[in-house]
Amino acid sequence: AQSVSQHNHHVILSEAASLELGCNYSYGGTVNLFWYVQYPGQHLQLLLKYFSGDPLVKGIKGFEAEFIKSKFSFNLRKPSVQWSDTAEYFCAVNGDNDMRFGAGTRLTVKP
Amino acid sequence: SQTIHQWPATLVQPVGSPLSLECTVEGTSNPNLYWYRQAAGRGLQLLFYSVGIGQISSEVPQNLSASRPQDRQFILSSKKLLLSDSGFYLCAWTGQFGNTIYFGEGSWLTVV
């Protein structure tokens, strides 16, 4: 079965700092890739997704992610974070109809 | 438009009692259906998924089970709950090509 790994459990940044959250997966076939965000007390929201085509995907709120097939990675980036980006971020991979999520990375942005 | 309904929203059950959480999807046919459990610091753990009626793939050893009696109905069950079954359970669906996933509102289960 495939698995999804998120490298960082908790990331603390100051406002305006750049962000990169790591996501790696193990699956040899074609995958669909996602990043979701969960703000405190709220449900999961889709940030961005990759199905095919340009491996650099732009999502909402200034987030982007790059699919690097050779590294089985789909890292999330944002050039300048805001206090309102404080949330938990989940990477998800769907390779064989089994949509799997990483353990999540908690991001705290200090004003 | 497609909608997903999950109930009950909150449940308090004694240890050893049975469980039934239900989920239905409207506005689509032949969806892929999922049950997840979300625990703090552990993300969303995939419990079961189904690509068709009567087809259930299990990801965890259990006293939990899942069934799909109809195309758009997915049920999570237990014959005897354990304290460790407490948590937040999410039902979800995707289309047949594994694209964006849509979640139900979730069910809070507390086993006492």
Side-chain angles (χ1 to χ4, degrees):
Chain A
Q2 61 174 325
S3 63
V4 184
S5 299
Q6 290 185 241
H7 312 304
N8 310 102
H9 180 63
H10 188 192
V11 173
I12 303 173
L13 296 172
S14 298
E15 275 193 315
S18 64
L19 170 72
E20 181 161 1
L21 302 181
C23 174
N24 285 89
Y25 64 93
S26 64
Y27 186 72
T30 301
V31 292
N32 295 333
L33 301 160
F34 309 81
W35 275 97
Y36 284 84
V37 60
Q38 188 171 30
Y39 298 102
Q42 297 187 25
H43 295 300
L44 287 156
Q45 295 179 34
L46 179 66
L47 272 180
L48 47 80
K49 58 189 178 185
Y50 172 81
F51 293 160
S52 63
D54 189 344
L56 185 60
V57 180
K58 294 194 183 297
I60 61 171
K61 305 186 181 188
F63 287 91
E64 64 179 31
E66 184 175 13
F67 170 49
I68 301 179
K69 188 174 181 180
S70 61
K71 294 185 178 180
F72 298 89
S73 69
F74 190 55
N75 292 356
L76 181 71
R77 300 195 292 247
K78 186 171 184 178
S80 177
V81 295
Q82 302 171 319
W83 175 79
S84 58
D85 292 325
T86 294
E88 191 150 18
Y89 293 80
F90 296 94
C91 179
V93 178
N94 194 342
D96 193 20
N97 291 315
D98 55 340
M99 178 79 83
R100 295 176 189 273
F101 289 78
T105 297
R106 187 156 60 98
L107 172 65
T108 301
V109 180
K110 295 183 175 181
Chain B
S1 64
Q2 302 91 355
T3 57
I4 178 169
H5 302 285
Q6 180 181 345
W7 71 94
T10 306
L11 200 59
V12 180
Q13 292 284 100
V15 168
S17 65
L19 170 74
S20 180
L21 299 180
E22 296 194 31
C23 175
T24 59
V25 180
E26 296 176 358
T28 188
S29 59
N30 203 21
N32 293 335
L33 296 171
Y34 305 84
W35 278 109
Y36 294 93
R37 179 166 53 206
Q38 185 172 21
R42 297 184 61 184
L44 276 80
Q45 180 187 18
L46 178 62
L47 300 176
F48 301 94
Y49 66 98
S50 171
V51 299
I53 296 174
Q55 300 178 61
I56 308 294
S57 296
S58 172
E59 294 293 313
V60 292
Q62 37 253 342
N63 66 322
L64 295 173
S65 61
S67 60
R68 185 170 178 173
Q70 300 180 45
D71 180 47
R72 290 171 290 175
Q73 184 184 24
F74 205 26
I75 299 171
L76 182 69
S77 303
S78 175
K79 293 183 179 178
K80 289 186 178 182
L81 284 168
L82 306 173
L83 286 174
S84 58
D85 292 323
S86 294
F88 187 59
Y89 291 82
L90 282 164
C91 180
W93 74 275
T94 69
Q96 280 301 297
F97 296 102
N99 44 26
T100 308
I101 193 166
Y102 300 92
F103 291 95
E105 289 295 306
S107 299
W108 279 105
L109 170 65
T110 303
V111 182
V112 296

